[in-house]
DNA sequence: CTCTGTGCAAAACTTTTGCATAGCC
DNA sequence: GGCTATGCAAAAGTTTTGCACAGAG
């Protein structure tokens, strides 16, 4: 695998991002520094970086896939109101892969846990709306 | 919500299927009984049935979404060799939503756990291949 | 009769791919 | 120089949507 400027910038963009960007988000960000980069290159590199485990793909129901750093393992919660993705390092003993492996008898290579939640901000807004609703 | 023959057949097809079908799978199956049904109708109804909780959408990395019955809760494992989806009712105490809720302090509405595994059949085939490989 | 759902087709969106060229080692 | 990666553009795959008509209540 050759080392290219494009690949490096794409990796850094994902690792430094805190928004769990989609491929297109990454393309837009990288394009600021590197206007001639193509979306195809972004997809090719994201796919490659996933395969070698440098980044992770997060699957979100009904949306484009998102990407995330892979240096520390964590799970994800997505707010159903605003779509924000929140990282959580779920403590569970035995761990989820261990449980899966024990209970299925199969070799577990990876897993993805995405929960739907209501984030703090939206939770606050909902309460507000409810109160306002009562005033009608 | 009106009751239509299309909606009923689509729901039954998902509930009775054991292959965790994609929207297009469902379209192909339903078309046998109902040749004039359109793919748009299938998508519209699947989406609607998901929203009212009658069925569930399973998100698979890099593939079309799949659908599943929702009457009994279970998690999913997908074989990375053959793509087969295996149901598993993961036993975990406290439950995963409880853990998530405790550890995040947020309200958890739903969650999706998809593990990547190697199924029994593929596990057997790999061993075979490895043995054959040694003979070269 | 009214409102919702359907069929059809076009479009939108996401991702992959073929090909000639550029860049890395 | 040889092999890999890129840019561009076209295509493939999945899902959504507008519209006129059909069907449900």
């Amino acid at each position: 695998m050759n080392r290219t400027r494009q690949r490096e910038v794409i990796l850094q963009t994902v690792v430094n991002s805190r928004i769990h960007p989609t491929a297109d988000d990454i393309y837009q960000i990288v394009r600021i520094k590197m206007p001639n980069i193509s979306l195809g290159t972004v997809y090719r590199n994201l796919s490659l970086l996933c395969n070698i485990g440098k980044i992770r793909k997060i699957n979100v129901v009904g949306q484009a896939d998102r990407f995330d750093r892979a240096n520390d393992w964590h799970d994800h919660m997505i707010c159903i109101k605003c779509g924000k993705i929140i990282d959580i390092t779920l403590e569970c003993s035995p761990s989820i892969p261990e449980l899966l492996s024990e209970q299925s008898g199969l070799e577990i290579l990876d897993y993805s846990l995405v929960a739907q939640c209501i984030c703090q901000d939206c939770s606050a807004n909902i309460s507000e709306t409810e109160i306002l609703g009562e005033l009608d």
Side-chain angles (χ1 to χ4, degrees), chain A residues 35-89:
Chain A
N36 291 325
I37 199 168
S38 79
L39 187 54
T41 297
V42 171
Y43 271 101
R44 269 186 290 238
N45 278 300
L46 288 173
S47 170
L48 199 149
L49 291 166
C50 277
N51 289 341
I52 62 173
K54 293 255 189 185
I55 63 174
R56 289 170 58 204
K57 198 191 249 188
I58 313 171
N59 231 231
V60 181
V61 176
Q63 292 181 33
D65 290 334
R66 289 156 164 267
F67 296 87
D68 196 7
R69 69 189 191 279
N71 45 348
D72 63 321
W73 182 264
H74 54 268
D75 304 297
H76 295 102
M77 301 191 298
I78 177 163
C79 175
I80 58 156
K81 295 288 173 192
C82 67
K84 183 169 37 190
I85 292 186
I86 301 157
D87 293 334
I88 181 170
T89 306

Side-chain angles (χ1 to χ4, degrees), chain A residues 29 37 75 92 97 112 128-129:
Chain A
I29 295 166
I37 199 168
D75 304 297
C92 177
S112 144
E128 227 171 83
T129 310

